[in-house]
Amino acid sequence: MGKVVIFARVSTIAQDYDRQVSELTALAANNNWKVCACFTEKISGAKANTERIELLRMVEYVTNNAIDKVLVTELSRLGRNTLGVLEVIELLNSKKVSIYIQNYAIETLTPEGAINPMSQFLITILAEVARMERKTIHERIESGYKNYRINGGVVGRKIGYRKDKETMREEYKEEIRLFKKNYSLRNIHTLTNTSINTLRKLKTMI
């Protein structure tokens, strides 16, 4: 019997995730999978992963409890932020935890723990969309900097400026919490998109 968790998300307080949970519970029963936990959240899928407490709890749970699969009714339940969804898929794949996507009837890993060819196609598309999003964001930032400089603005920190430890602890409290849960530096970077250099500094503060 495979060990699975259910993950359900809706965007607003007015919506309900009961249908998702019910469908995924039935799916598990039909496949003789044991549902070990159910994680639900009411939050916009466009939010950053670090703002999604239930998503972080789910990743932590499957990491520490030898879970085989995460069940979702559709990929958008993991989020609408392409970068964030790709980060979660890649992180779970690296831990040999498969994601079963009900509406496509596919999962990200084979029973042997290899990446499923069909899901690889989906992941490749997601990666390309994510690359385009990063490029667009970078171009917007560069355009903003350029206009700011043209109008006499100065970009960058003031000379000698450095955030004190208390400011860093407050700004990056989620990253510090993950360090205390024994997440690796690389996994925290994948989940939060915080730079490796910043994470190294944070690690010394714990």
Side-chain angles (χ1 to χ4, degrees):
M1 178 181 285
K3 296 169 64 178
V4 304
V5 303
I6 288 171
F7 186 82
R9 181 189 65 80
V10 291
S11 299
T12 67
I13 297 296
Q15 293 175 302
D16 203 300
Y17 40 65
D18 288 352
R19 179 189 59 80
Q20 294 177 49
V21 173
S22 177
E23 288 182 4
L24 294 174
T25 300
L27 173 70
N30 289 339
N31 287 276
N32 198 33
W33 296 333
K34 179 183 178 182
V35 177
C36 298
C38 181
F39 297 88
T40 58
E41 62 180 6
K42 293 189 176 186
I43 190 172
S44 168
K47 292 283 187 180
N49 287 342
T50 52
E51 298 179 71
R52 299 177 59 192
I53 303 303
E54 286 302 300
L55 177 67
L56 293 173
R57 284 185 63 238
M58 181 271 286
V59 172
E60 181 180 332
Y61 183 89
V62 300
T63 300
N64 295 330
N65 291 277
I67 297 300
D68 299 305
K69 308 177 198 294
V70 173
L71 310 182
V72 294
T73 54
E74 54 189 78
L75 198 57
S76 63
R77 297 308 93 199
L78 284 177
R80 295 193 182 278
N81 178 326
T82 309
L83 295 175
V85 171
L86 186 61
E87 286 164 0
V88 174
I89 291 174
E90 290 179 339
L91 177 60
L92 293 181
N93 280 356
S94 72
K95 296 180 179 299
K96 303 301 180 184
V97 179
S98 186
I99 302 173
Y100 186 95
I101 308 162
Q102 185 187 30
N103 67 328
Y104 292 144
I106 63 171
E107 53 185 301
T108 56
L109 299 180
T110 66
E112 293 75 33
I115 294 180
N116 184 322
M118 284 297 293
S119 76
Q120 183 59 57
F121 176 67
L122 177 63
I123 292 167
T124 300
I125 293 174
L126 282 176
E128 180 59 22
V129 172
R131 185 194 67 78
M132 292 170 63
E133 285 185 0
R134 288 190 189 100
K135 183 172 182 289
T136 300
I137 291 169
H138 178 73
E139 288 173 349
R140 285 175 180 168
I141 290 172
E142 285 300 310
S143 176
Y145 282 167
K146 184 177 179 180
N147 289 334
Y148 185 59
R149 290 190 188 102
I150 289 172
N151 291 311
V154 177
V155 176
R157 292 180 181 174
K158 294 178 181 178
I159 296 174
Y161 173 79
R162 212 173 160 181
K163 291 180 182 177
D164 60 45
K165 288 186 177 181
E166 286 308 310
T167 302
M168 291 281 285
R169 287 192 183 100
E170 179 61 29
E171 185 173 341
Y172 298 100
K173 57 187 176 183
E174 189 57 44
E175 286 83 346
I176 290 173
R177 188 186 75 83
L178 293 174
F179 269 126
K180 289 180 178 178
K181 293 286 187 179
N182 295 319
Y183 276 62
S184 70
L185 186 146
R186 188 65 58 181
N187 283 346
I188 296 173
H189 168 68
T190 301
L191 271 174
T192 65
N193 210 28
T194 302
S195 75
I196 295 295
N197 285 339
T198 298
L199 290 174
R200 287 195 180 109
K201 291 176 185 175
L202 293 170
K203 195 171 183 179
T204 65
M205 299 178 189
I206 300 171

